[in-house]
């Protein structure tokens, strides 16, 4: 899985937040590798938070490194 965080804004409605939580505590456990691209400080905090709930291998890439993130996630 590759996730790019760009111009992130807080949720516009509660339904979107519920859908993310459902994915985070449900389907995410089936993902073996997750690459996160964007603001490294924010992503580092986020990956530490979700790290306690999953065994997914995570890696953080700087903004604009989608190709490198995809190569890592697919390896």
């Amino acid at each position: 899985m590759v996730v790019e965080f760009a111009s992130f804004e807080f949720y516009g409605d509660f339904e979107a937040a519920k859908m993310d939580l459902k994915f985070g505590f449900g389907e995410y456990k089936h993902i073996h590798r997750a690459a996160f691209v964007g603001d490294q400080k924010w992503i580092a905090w986020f990956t530490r938070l979700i790290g306690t709930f999953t065994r997914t291998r995570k890696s953080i890439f700087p903004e604009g490194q989608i190709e490198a993130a995809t190569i890592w996630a697919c390896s």
Side-chain angles (χ1 to χ4, degrees):
M1 177 174 90
V2 177
V3 178
E4 181 179 24
F5 290 98
S7 302
F8 180 77
E9 294 183 22
F10 199 72
Y11 297 100
D13 61 31
F14 187 65
E15 272 311 303
K18 281 184 7 184
M19 289 172 48
D20 273 1
L21 284 171
K22 182 179 177 184
F23 175 79
F25 289 104
E27 291 87 1
Y28 185 76
K29 67 184 172 190
H30 300 291
I31 295 171
H32 300 287
R33 290 178 149 227
F36 298 92
V37 181
D39 178 0
Q40 293 188 323
K41 186 176 179 180
W42 187 89
I43 296 172
W45 172 85
F46 173 73
T47 56
R48 278 194 304 275
L49 174 69
I50 64 172
T52 59
F53 303 106
T54 179
R55 294 178 184 223
T56 302
R57 290 185 63 201
K58 294 168 277 309
S59 188
I60 302 169
F61 294 84
E63 232 176 286
Q65 296 293 316
I66 288 287
E67 187 174 335
T70 302
I71 291 168
W72 180 85
C74 293
S75 64

